[in-house]
Amino acid sequence: VLPPGEVPPGAVVVRIAWPYNLTAPAGAARLLVFATAEHLGCPGRIAEGSPSWGTLAHGMAVPTRLLTPSLYSLEGLASCGVPRERIALAPHGVSPAAYAPLDAEQRARRRKKRGW
């Protein structure tokens, strides 16, 4: 982890923070910002001094993309004027081994134990 503001030349900067900040630090070759949109609308807050969502449509000095975990958020970000080609979809993963459904007998035992 680098101290704030120190970016090696040519680095890809990944931001996972709120409020969202679309300003690329000096020296960055690319910027990737994790973002979500609620209610199919534009995210409510953007960092002070940060470019607006629509700025992504007109190009920026540093190639910038948004990373979002759902099609729902992708649609919301697109409704803000962000071009779809600037939004990458990376769904949250779930391990089927860890979250496999219980068989009928196991469900019945657990429900009985909990008084359901």
Side-chain angles (χ1 to χ4, degrees), residues 68-95:
T68 195
S70 69
L71 287 172
Y72 186 83
S73 281
L74 187 148
E75 293 298 328
L77 293 165
S79 77
C80 301
V82 178
R84 290 177 187 277
E85 62 271 11
R86 295 242 184 196
I87 307 169
L89 180 64
H92 296 304
V94 175
S95 168

Side-chain angles (χ1 to χ4, degrees), residues 7-8 18 23 36 38 48 51 64 70 74 99 102:
V7 175
W18 189 87
T23 304
T36 60
E38 305 298 329
E48 189 175 324
T64 302
S70 69
L74 187 148
Y99 296 101
L102 300 173

Side-chain angles (χ1 to χ4, degrees), residues 15-112:
R15 286 206 175 112
I16 303 175
W18 189 87
Y20 302 119
N21 186 346
L22 303 178
T23 304
R30 295 183 161 275
L31 177 63
L32 181 66
V33 178
F34 181 85
T36 60
E38 305 298 329
H39 313 294
L40 292 178
C42 297
R45 276 219 41 215
I46 200 160
E48 189 175 324
S50 175
S52 68
W53 296 110
T55 304
L56 290 172
H58 307 295
M60 297 176 72
V62 171
T64 302
R65 292 192 73 182
L66 302 180
L67 178 65
T68 195
S70 69
L71 287 172
Y72 186 83
S73 281
L74 187 148
E75 293 298 328
L77 293 165
S79 77
C80 301
V82 178
R84 290 177 187 277
E85 62 271 11
R86 295 242 184 196
I87 307 169
L89 180 64
H92 296 304
V94 175
S95 168
Y99 296 101
L102 300 173
D103 64 35
E105 185 181 317
Q106 291 171 317
R107 277 196 310 275
R109 278 197 313 266
R110 288 200 184 177
R111 287 177 178 166
K112 183 177 179 180

